[in-house]
Amino acid sequence: MVSVRFAPSPTGYMHIGNLRTALLNYLFALSVQKRTGEKFRFVLRMDDTDTERSRPEYEQAVYEDMRWLGISWDRLEHQSARLDRYRQVLEELKQRGLVYACYETAEELEYKRRRQRARGLPPVYDRSGLKLSPEEKNELEAQGRRPHYRFMLEHKETSWDDMVRGHCSYNGAHLSDPIIVREDGTFPYMLPSVIDDMDFGITHIIRGEDHVTNTAVQIQMFEALGAKIPEFGHPPLLTGHEGKLSKRLGSLSSRELREQGIEPMTIACLLARLGTSDPVVVCQTLEELADHFDLTHFGRAQPHFDTDDLFKLNPRVVRSMSLPAVNARLKERGEPEISALFWAAVSPNIDQIADIAEWERICSSDERFSLNEQDRLFCRQAAALLPSGDFDETTFAVWTAVVKAETGRKGRDLFHPIRLALTGREQGPELKMLLPVLGRQKTIMRLQG
Ligand code: GLU
């Protein structure tokens, strides 16, 4: 069974890069399910061990964003609730001699790195901690120093076949042994993530390429714990106007995009393709989008993300929405539901869901719109020429042909006053579609003014 996970740190609002990671995991799992017919599992994991920066409101925002995108999860986990499990694994690793205590301060480590760089050496930790005798450790502790702990990497080649990057290989000798417990006893991300992925049976890890070197380290941890190594896929990070998109770029938070009228499927349709050479396909649901989704189509080059692309795509997504989908969105917004006739008339003129209410009001109100005297006379004349019977899409052409013949008006002179009389707007949906929406009574009332 395919098990994927999305592991945000609830230390800020989600930005487009986080949404992308969540979406790629979900689409990948869905696409496998579609191919094999086997159900998948989606784990939502809160990486909330940083108690100072993690906040309940950010966590709530993650849930909200996920629901908004249409991503549901089968299991929810909090790293903050699993500290005992991490301590237990840590003990085991210590006993097996795979973890060692170190006493350097952050300044001392920085000084070492600077000296290594100055000598043209890679800034890899020199394992001084490993060489300390018990007496030296006691002495350091007597001075008030507290140990932090590092995981001892094997100095060997660690490789994997990345679903995006292909064959990847890192030599442990070129990497620093990672710190897995800080001086204050807290756990940085690296080891808890591996323990969780192992305990929750994660089979595929899809995350940004900023984690590629972590993967080499984490594979060694999986091996040390005797766990099955998951498959990995690291799509390149998005770049934008502001360079690499990081959590700190609040300008692209999903909340703001939502407030600006961007539909979740707009984000999904764009992000499922950005970084591949596949064309963007407008889809109604994530299930449909998963039909065309292939992680191996992602290239190595960092795709350029431009918020404008979302605004360009959004009208296409909104206009293609089915009536039930539109009505569901309107209901969420507390706005009146609409008819199929109305949606067929106005959808080509809608850029976002919020635009619907305006046209709904125009069509349903008893408002009359002012015209100059000449146009009013013309519209009254036209009203008298309306064909009998129910209005449909053909009515407008039949009617305006008669009006043209009777009044001698044509082109803009003919259509513009009618549009103004019927909608009070210079532009808008096709009149032939609006006529049946308005119906005879309102059409006559508005033409007569
Ligand atoms: N909390 C980590 C992050 O947001 C998760 C990384 C991972 O997917 O392993 O970067």
Side-chain angles (χ1 to χ4, degrees):
M1 185 197 239
V2 166
S3 281
V4 293
R5 60 15 169 224
F6 174 53
S9 311
T11 53
Y13 289 116
M14 295 228 274
H15 60 83
I16 199 82
N18 305 125
L19 298 184
R20 177 174 180 248
T21 301
L23 270 166
L24 297 188
N25 274 286
Y26 196 70
L27 289 172
F28 166 77
L30 260 180
S31 69
V32 176
Q33 177 175 298
K34 292 213 146 191
R35 270 204 314 277
T36 62
E38 218 180 306
K39 265 200 77 58
F40 66 88
R41 236 173 0 155
F42 191 100
V43 178
L44 177 57
R45 185 182 90 199
M46 290 293 156
D47 285 3
D48 58 352
T49 50
D50 183 342
T51 44
E52 256 163 54
R53 291 174 55 230
S54 299
R55 299 252 184 83
E57 61 266 32
Y58 294 139
E59 186 176 323
Q60 288 307 319
V62 171
Y63 302 142
E64 217 175 281
D65 287 340
M66 296 284 281
R67 288 196 195 102
W68 178 64
L69 280 175
I71 299 179
S72 51
W73 50 96
D74 307 289
R75 182 168 179 171
L76 174 67
E77 292 287 345
H78 288 80
Q79 289 199 322
S80 58
R82 291 178 42 80
L83 300 177
D84 285 346
R85 170 69 177 140
Y86 306 150
R87 286 187 199 112
Q88 176 204 344
V89 174
L90 174 71
E91 267 326 297
E92 193 186 305
L93 291 173
K94 273 187 192 168
Q95 267 160 30
R96 288 166 55 200
L98 295 175
V99 166
Y100 61 95
C102 302
Y103 291 84
E104 296 91 343
T105 62
E107 294 73 37
E108 285 165 353
L109 289 172
E110 180 51 35
Y111 177 71
K112 280 189 189 189
R113 283 193 291 265
R114 267 211 310 272
R115 278 195 28 190
Q116 284 169 313
R117 281 199 204 97
R119 282 194 275 145
L121 299 169
V124 174
Y125 179 61
D126 60 8
R127 293 189 163 171
S128 301
L130 203 53
K131 291 157 209 147
L132 293 171
S133 65
E135 294 73 35
E136 285 169 318
K137 287 185 191 173
N138 285 340
E139 185 155 332
L140 284 163
E141 295 200 16
Q143 288 167 17
R145 294 219 187 188
R146 306 276 321 267
H148 57 269
Y149 291 88
R150 290 186 189 257
F151 175 80
M152 197 157 48
L153 291 172
E154 281 187 65
H155 287 177
K156 62 168 193 182
E157 222 37 64
T158 296
S159 3
W160 72 97
D161 283 318
D162 197 279
M163 291 184 279
V164 176
R165 301 166 66 86
H167 185 74
C168 295
S169 189
Y170 286 84
N171 193 313
H174 301 151
L175 302 171
S176 290
D177 291 338
I179 296 176
I180 55 168
V181 185
R182 297 190 191 94
E183 229 175 73
D184 62 3
T186 60
F187 292 90
Y189 146 83
M190 201 72 92
L191 178 66
S193 181
V194 170
I195 300 173
D196 291 345
D197 290 332
M198 170 178 79
D199 288 355
F200 308 153
I202 301 301
T203 58
H204 295 77
I205 296 178
I206 299 163
R207 57 186 180 188
E209 70 179 356
D210 48 334
H211 285 289
V212 169
T213 41
N214 290 344
T215 297
V217 169
Q218 290 182 325
I219 286 179
Q220 287 215 14
M221 291 178 170
F222 280 111
E223 285 171 348
L225 297 174
K228 190 166 180 328
I229 317 278
E231 299 285 330
F232 290 91
H234 295 91
L237 299 184
L238 303 177
T239 62
H241 293 309
E242 298 160 278
K244 288 220 181 107
L245 292 174
S246 80
K247 258 177 228 181
R248 280 162 274 282
L249 292 178
S251 60
L252 293 165
S253 80
S254 60
R255 313 200 120 196
E256 277 155 307
L257 293 173
R258 193 179 339 173
E259 277 155 20
Q260 290 176 40
I262 297 295
E263 288 300 307
M265 279 311 291
T266 305
I267 295 183
C269 292
L270 185 68
L271 295 185
R273 290 293 179 277
L274 204 62
T276 73
S277 52
D278 302 334
V280 169
V281 185
V282 172
C283 294
Q284 300 282 322
T285 60
L286 294 178
E287 282 70 19
E288 200 187 316
L289 191 55
D291 277 339
H292 313 270
F293 184 80
D294 193 333
L295 199 61
T296 62
H297 289 188
F298 283 78
R300 295 279 301 262
Q302 292 192 333
H304 184 81
F305 171 81
D306 191 336
T307 336
D308 285 348
D309 293 338
L310 285 178
F311 286 96
K312 278 186 213 136
L313 182 60
N314 203 53
R316 285 175 58 199
V317 170
V318 175
R319 290 170 197 177
S320 72
M321 280 167 84
S322 67
L323 183 68
V326 174
N327 273 329
R329 293 281 289 107
L330 290 171
K331 206 167 160 194
E332 272 167 32
R333 298 170 58 89
E335 285 165 9
E337 294 194 8
I338 56 171
S339 67
L341 207 57
F342 175 85
W343 185 231
V346 305
S347 55
N349 290 75
I350 297 297
D351 288 344
Q352 48 173 290
I353 295 289
D355 298 343
I356 297 174
E358 167 80 344
W359 282 106
E360 205 283 326
R361 201 185 50 71
I362 291 173
C363 293
S364 65
S365 80
D366 288 328
E367 217 176 330
R368 293 156 209 255
F369 305 105
S370 54
L371 293 183
N372 67 38
E373 214 173 309
Q374 255 186 344
D375 282 348
R376 180 58 73 198
L377 282 174
F378 162 71
C379 283
R380 288 194 182 132
Q381 210 181 345
L385 297 169
L386 277 165
S388 57
D390 285 343
F391 287 178
D392 63 25
E393 280 176 40
T394 65
T395 309
F396 188 73
V398 174
W399 172 45
T400 49
V402 178
V403 175
K404 184 176 168 187
E406 288 288 319
T407 64
R409 285 208 191 203
K410 55 179 191 220
R412 191 183 146 84
D413 285 345
L414 171 66
F415 299 115
H416 187 63
I418 294 178
R419 174 175 292 288
L420 274 184
L422 295 183
T423 68
R425 297 285 180 283
E426 294 286 335
Q427 266 135 23
E430 275 194 88
L431 289 169
K432 74 167 189 176
M433 303 296 284
L434 275 182
L435 221 52
V437 172
L438 294 172
R440 177 179 299 277
Q441 212 186 343
K442 191 165 292 179
T443 302
I444 294 177
M445 174 196 89
R446 286 188 175 168
L447 289 169
Q448 288 182 334

